[in-house]
Amino acid sequence: MRTFVAGQQAHGELEFAELALGIDVDLFRGPLEFETDGERAAREDAARDVLADLRAEAEAGDEIAGWDALYADALTRTVPFLRAARGHRNEAGEAA
């Protein structure tokens, strides 16, 4: 079964959510792959700008933008499991 949102085919649940909500999850959450400090700073700057625009639209009465702002803001507080697991290393002598 194929799923389409606004004429575009969604390949998976994450892509469906991105198409339906108009929120790029990687922009706010961060990619699962490595990113340099410069790439991260640029992504976070763009995310702040988009979030500020969403909040301004919400204050002007756009309820959907308000919900999108809440979702995007929540994504900025998440760390993908795979990225977090890669950064975690057991130290020698650490109690199990």
Side-chain angles (χ1 to χ4, degrees):
M1 181 173 163
R2 296 181 187 174
T3 305
F4 290 87
V5 177
Q8 292 184 326
Q9 185 174 356
H11 300 280
E13 292 178 17
L14 183 60
E15 189 172 352
F16 176 80
E18 288 177 1
L19 290 172
L21 297 174
I23 298 291
D24 180 359
V25 173
D26 284 346
L27 177 64
F28 294 96
R29 176 201 63 196
L32 295 177
E33 308 88 35
F34 174 78
E35 65 181 342
T36 66
D37 290 339
E39 291 170 335
R40 182 173 39 258
R43 178 183 54 77
E44 289 174 348
D45 284 344
R48 275 191 291 276
D49 290 343
V50 171
L51 189 54
D53 290 344
L54 287 171
R55 287 178 175 155
E57 291 173 16
E59 289 176 8
D62 186 341
E63 185 178 351
I64 301 298
W67 286 108
D68 286 348
L70 290 172
Y71 178 59
D73 188 48
L75 286 171
T76 64
R77 294 169 182 23
T78 63
V79 177
F81 177 74
L82 295 174
R83 192 172 67 204
R86 260 187 263 132
H88 178 73
R89 304 201 191 281
N90 286 335
E91 299 294 326
E94 183 178 335

